Amino acid sequence: MTQKTRGFGYWAVVCLAVVMIIFGLPIAAGGVWLLSLGGSWYYALAGLGLLVSAFFLLRHSMVGVWVYLLTFLGTLAWALWERGLDGWAQVPRLVAPTIILVLVLLAIPALRGRFPGGRVAATAAALGVLALGASATALTSVQQTAPFAQEAQAPAAERTAEAQLAVGADWPAYGGTYAATRYSPLDQINKDNVGQLERVWEFHTGDMPSEAAEGKYSPENTPLKVGDALYMCTGMGIGIAVDAVTGGEEWRFDPGVSEDAIPYGATCRGVAYYAVPDAPQDAACATRILWGTLDARLLAVDARTGQPCADFGNNGQVFLEEGIGDTVPGWYSVTSAPTVVRGVVVIGAQVKDGQDRDAPSGVVRGYDAVTGELAWAWDMANPGNRGAPAEGEVYTRGTPNMWTTAAGDEELGLVYLPLGNSSVDYYGSNRSELENQYSTSLVAVDVTTGEDVWHFQAVHNDVWDYDLGSQPTLIDFPTAEGARPAVVLASKQGDIFVLDRATGESLFAVEERPVPQGGVEPDYLSPTQPFSAYHTLAFPDLTEADMWGMTPLDQLWCRIEFHRSHYAGIYTPPTTDQHWIQYPGYNGGNDWGSVAIDAERGLLIANYNDMPNHNRLIPRDEADAAGLTPIYEPSPDSESPLGEAGPQIGAPYAIQVNAGWRVPFTGLLCKQPPYGGIRAIDLATGGTVWDRPFGQALNNGPFGIPSMMPIDIGTPNNGGPVVTAGGLIFIAATTDNLIHAIDVATGQTVWTDKLPGGGQTTPITYEAGGRQFVVIAPGGHHFMETPISDAVIAYALPEGGS
């Protein structure tokens, strides 16, 4: 071919060959590396195929087309062998190779002149078109990974049971009631008319982050509804009441929390409502709203006026830092709603993770709901004292805390405390015997005395930050012998346990199975862990084939990292010489959003995350050299090369966590989708009724660019479901900024609406003025990378509709 004939087609082929070389070289080199680690042979061969094809295309030979066709057919066969007809899994395997195939086929006319006729070229083109069709079929197929197989399976007289409000017209507690079933008997809105829902009002709290607080807001608030009003708190702890019908503001109380008190995020999940027994209705604070603040105060205000209750503590507030000992703003904060049982306000606190073994205490306390006086303190490591510490002493430091919300049984007089871990999450050899006994446990405490009645441990010697975040749920569990009062406990590692409410005995087998050993604490790790025979939200162990990306390059990177990392399945021990994979990650399974239970239909509804973490323990000298400092020391001027790693002072290692295990150059996750789902579970047997990916890919994409694809990829989700007698599940939680109505019988989404902020919260439903309302406060979430909003939105059917 002469210079004169070198037109567009010639140079297009040259450019295509150069692109193939650019991709082929790192794929071939990385493939050889992967092969040396014991990984797949495919990438080395595919990279070689790209390079050979490029060589012949540079020579304008049809051999280049045939070599690429063979490479692509090999790619297609390998992709189907490894993952079958699963569209999301095939994205990194087939999208980029398919695009190159299209370009190679388009280049054929510029290569025909190298052969005596067009039959060879036509054959190549026909074969290429067939390959394109096969690739399109694989890419448009959807398949959800199957979960693990399921096996169907006296109070003190001075504090007596008090009357409780019911869910229906009202939503009187964070979980609906303190039984926390998140179920409403309302059915005005149902699957036949939910498509008619419209926004009837939108209220704005005015609490938005300042420039200094950018990237720190995660309000997560669920309002209450009692009588004619909604009660809520904002991320910075401002209490607000609005009219339940119109959304008009009735009062607000701003406790003046400073932004330096923000711990991990500005969060106030909810408030509590309490009616003082036998109090005159017109008396000040006869009904009151109680909540905790980021600067560790317990507040009580009049439910009608928002004015502080003068009879409660010090003019309406109790200072929770009393007895805590040394702390600084942001280290010890209240982020969850209190629980009120028999007139006792039960409250724990968030102790910021990863700071220091000598952290503020995880003590859980009960206060008189009328006077604010300390009723008891459950200081785990000091069972001989259920009161305040002696003068000059403090509650035991560094003990497991309760950062989430307790459940309560008014009749039994018990509160159920879901505990977290000791203050250094990823190292345990310096923990006490009592910490090892109680950490990551559900503890039933007598609300009158503060004495523990029983406890159930979900993880032994927890060094994975699998603290119990889900609020327990109290139900009358169906058994062959009749209903049995039970508590349902969902966990981050995925197991769901069903326990007798009075004794803690498991209603289903809890199997102690051997788990991986080794790591940096071989003598500390428990040789077994408890696994629930009732149900698990966990999936099978990861394999190299589960690694993902948008292209073969980032998938190859994840595959190499998979083989370079320590991984032996669930409960892989933490290591320091290499990264280790934690799966499920600390945000896996079911977290603070909790589950919902429809006892009428016999269903348990759980949304969940399905993501790994990629972690590394950092030796102390390396952490010190990197400038990692705890919260109580000034931060260095420059950012640490280890990012936001936790210093874990008092342990020989700091901790670096890559939550979700992101690819550094695209920001995508290394594990293939889905990253989250929602599941209906047969309440009586624990069998799966339906399970589906949950969350559209609208706001997810490489380099932080939203894909805008309305496809259920299954996104990370935080926030919980509400289920109604109308046969609907209302839930937001996902990163697509949608509120969803889901048919509880089939799992199909029947209605959505776009929210102005991330829906990382739980909606409520109630009746007012003859209409059923659905309300949500989509405040957004910095960790979930969703927009921050101060909106509270109410939906209802059109007036006169049905």
Side-chain angles (χ1 to χ4, degrees):
M1 187 176 294
T2 65
Q3 182 69 34
K4 185 178 289 187
T5 61
R6 291 181 179 178
F8 174 79
Y10 174 89
W11 292 111
V13 172
V14 171
C15 289
L16 173 59
V18 170
V19 168
M20 294 170 77
I21 292 171
I22 291 172
F23 282 95
L25 284 171
I27 289 175
V32 171
W33 188 7
L34 179 63
L35 203 56
S36 72
L37 295 169
S40 172
W41 48 264
Y42 162 75
Y43 291 89
L45 294 180
L48 179 62
L50 280 169
L51 294 174
V52 173
S53 178
F55 171 79
F56 283 104
L57 288 176
L58 285 173
R59 296 171 62 86
H60 276 66
S61 169
M62 271 293 295
V63 174
V65 174
W66 283 107
V67 171
Y68 188 75
L69 276 174
L70 289 174
T71 301
F72 183 82
L73 289 173
T75 296
L76 184 61
W78 166 77
L80 292 174
W81 167 77
E82 198 174 56
R83 271 293 179 260
L85 294 175
D86 185 344
W88 284 114
Q90 298 299 359
V91 166
R93 293 169 173 85
L94 293 179
V95 168
T98 300
I99 292 172
I100 293 178
L101 176 61
V102 171
L103 296 175
V104 167
L105 295 178
L106 292 175
I108 288 177
L111 304 175
R112 276 187 180 175
R114 306 291 296 176
F115 289 86
R119 182 176 298 176
V120 174
T123 302
L127 188 59
V129 169
L130 290 175
L132 284 174
S135 177
T137 300
L139 285 167
T140 54
S141 301
V142 176
Q143 181 185 48
Q144 167 74 313
T145 305
F148 284 154
Q150 306 297 326
E151 295 185 23
Q153 303 274 2
E158 64 267 30
R159 287 197 182 273
T160 57
E162 298 180 4
Q164 298 293 294
L165 295 172
V167 170
D170 293 327
W171 191 270
Y174 175 68
T177 65
Y178 293 121
T181 60
R182 293 172 174 78
Y183 173 81
S184 171
L186 299 180
D187 61 2
Q188 185 182 89
I189 302 170
N190 55 60
K191 62 183 180 181
D192 296 324
N193 61 22
V194 68
Q196 302 173 37
L197 279 185
E198 59 184 18
R199 294 190 187 190
V200 292
W201 54 258
E202 184 170 327
F203 173 78
H204 292 269
T205 68
D207 186 358
M208 291 290 284
S210 68
E211 185 176 346
E214 286 286 349
K216 293 184 176 182
Y217 262 49
S218 48
E220 302 175 2
N221 184 253
T222 297
L224 308 186
K225 190 270 185 180
V226 181
D228 298 326
L230 290 182
Y231 302 100
M232 66 195 77
C233 56
T234 71
M236 293 302 295
I238 301 171
I240 299 175
V242 302
D243 186 280
V245 175
T246 67
E249 183 174 322
E250 295 186 343
W251 56 256
R252 72 171 50 214
F253 178 80
D254 186 350
V257 176
S258 172
E259 287 182 344
D260 65 2
I262 298 175
Y264 174 71
T267 299
C268 185
R269 293 190 183 92
V271 302
Y273 175 91
Y274 183 69
V276 179
D278 303 323
Q281 290 187 354
D282 58 351
C285 286
T287 56
R288 55 190 63 194
I289 304 299
L290 304 109
W291 72 101
T293 64
L294 298 180
D295 56 3
R297 287 177 282 163
L298 175 61
L299 307 176
V301 302
D302 190 305
R304 294 173 302 169
T305 66
Q307 294 300 306
C309 295
D311 59 350
F312 184 88
N314 183 3
N315 193 31
Q317 57 186 340
V318 171
F319 297 94
L320 299 176
E321 288 186 356
E322 291 183 2
I324 291 300
D326 293 339
T327 187
V328 295
W331 201 359
Y332 186 85
S333 308
V334 179
T335 55
S336 293
T339 296
V340 185
V341 177
R342 296 194 176 186
V344 176
V345 185
V346 180
I347 194 164
Q350 172 185 321
V351 180
K352 191 173 182 181
D353 287 344
Q355 300 304 305
D356 193 326
R357 180 71 184 96
D358 184 36
S361 176
V363 61
V364 180
R365 286 170 282 187
Y367 293 90
D368 187 286
V370 176
T371 67
E373 294 180 356
L374 180 68
W376 49 261
W378 193 77
D379 182 359
M380 180 197 73
N382 191 9
N385 180 22
R386 290 294 178 238
E391 186 175 353
E393 298 181 1
V394 299
Y395 296 112
T396 310
R397 291 180 67 80
T399 52
N401 63 314
M402 183 187 77
W403 57 263
T404 190
T405 302
D409 186 321
E410 191 74 25
E411 294 302 319
L412 288 178
L414 298 178
V415 283
Y416 301 90
L417 314 179
L419 294 187
N421 214 336
S422 298
S423 58
V424 171
D425 291 294
Y426 295 94
Y427 185 82
S429 292
N430 53 8
R431 296 174 186 165
S432 69
E433 183 178 341
L434 278 171
E435 287 176 281
N436 290 330
Q437 183 180 350
Y438 279 94
S439 69
T440 319
S441 291
L442 182 67
V443 185
V445 169
D446 187 314
V447 78
T448 297
T449 65
E451 296 296 329
D452 51 297
V453 177
W454 57 260
H455 78 277
F456 173 85
Q457 189 166 60
V459 180
H460 306 320
N461 294 7
D462 183 1
V463 289
W464 299 274
D465 196 17
Y466 280 150
D467 47 352
L468 296 175
S470 179
Q471 184 183 23
T473 301
L474 311 184
I475 60 169
D476 291 329
F477 194 86
T479 71
E481 293 76 32
R484 186 171 173 181
V487 54
V488 176
L489 176 67
S491 68
K492 287 184 176 183
Q493 69 271 25
D495 286 285
I496 299 177
F497 302 96
V498 183
L499 312 171
D500 184 282
R501 211 182 300 172
T503 67
E505 174 192 358
S506 181
L507 275 59
F508 293 81
V510 177
E511 302 169 3
E512 288 288 340
R513 301 178 192 166
V515 292
Q517 299 294 290
V520 300
E521 299 180 273
D523 296 330
Y524 176 74
L525 297 179
S526 172
T528 64
Q529 291 292 350
F531 289 80
S532 173
Y534 173 69
H535 192 92
T536 181
L537 298 168
F539 286 82
D541 292 347
L542 294 174
T543 67
E544 179 195 319
D546 292 311
M547 298 301 100
W548 203 67
M550 288 302 293
T551 70
L553 280 175
D554 46 345
Q555 188 186 46
L556 174 57
W557 184 90
C558 290
R559 285 175 180 254
I560 290 171
E561 286 299 299
F562 177 83
H563 282 287
R564 294 181 66 208
S565 303
H566 179 51
Y567 179 60
I570 191 170
Y571 297 112
T572 292
T575 55
T576 184
D577 55 331
Q578 61 187 145
H579 283 80
W580 95 91
I581 299 170
Q582 178 187 349
Y583 180 66
Y586 72 73
N587 197 33
N590 188 263
D591 204 348
W592 55 265
S594 313
V595 303
I597 292 181
D598 183 344
E600 297 299 317
R601 294 178 176 87
L603 295 175
L604 184 156
I605 307 300
N607 57 304
Y608 58 88
N609 284 315
D610 182 22
M611 298 180 295
N613 289 350
H614 197 227
N615 305 341
R616 184 170 76 93
L617 289 175
I618 304 164
R620 177 59 51 207
D621 56 354
E622 182 183 345
D624 293 342
L628 285 185
T629 57
I631 190 172
Y632 52 79
E633 291 184 3
S635 299
D637 295 333
S638 58
E639 184 178 345
S640 164
L642 299 174
E644 296 183 1
Q648 296 200 147
I649 304 300
Y653 307 97
I655 180 64
Q656 187 176 32
V657 177
N658 183 350
W661 192 3
R662 290 175 180 258
V663 181
F665 32 93
T666 64
L668 296 175
L669 305 187
C670 262
K671 177 194 164 291
Q672 74 176 48
Y675 306 120
I678 186 167
R679 186 178 300 177
I681 299 163
D682 185 290
L683 183 61
T685 67
T688 298
V689 177
W690 53 257
D691 183 30
R692 49 160 283 199
F694 179 47
Q696 297 182 12
L698 295 169
N699 299 316
N700 301 90
F703 311 107
I705 302 171
S707 71
M708 306 305 293
M709 293 192 299
I711 301 171
D712 278 321
I713 189 174
T715 73
N717 57 88
N718 271 324
V722 166
V723 63
T724 73
L728 295 172
I729 303 164
F730 289 101
I731 184 171
T734 53
T735 61
D736 55 19
N737 304 333
L738 298 175
I739 181 172
H740 313 250
I742 296 172
D743 185 336
V744 72
T746 66
Q748 297 301 306
T749 297
V750 291
W751 170 83
T752 63
D753 189 49
K754 187 75 171 179
L755 299 169
Q760 285 68 58
T761 182
T762 303
I764 67 170
T765 186
Y766 60 86
E767 186 274 328
R771 302 169 79 186
Q772 181 182 352
F773 289 79
V774 175
V775 169
I776 188 168
H781 204 286
H782 62 94
F783 174 72
M784 303 288 285
E785 299 178 1
T786 56
I788 304 303
S789 166
D790 68 341
V792 182
I793 301 170
Y795 298 92
L797 296 173
E799 289 193 270
S802 61

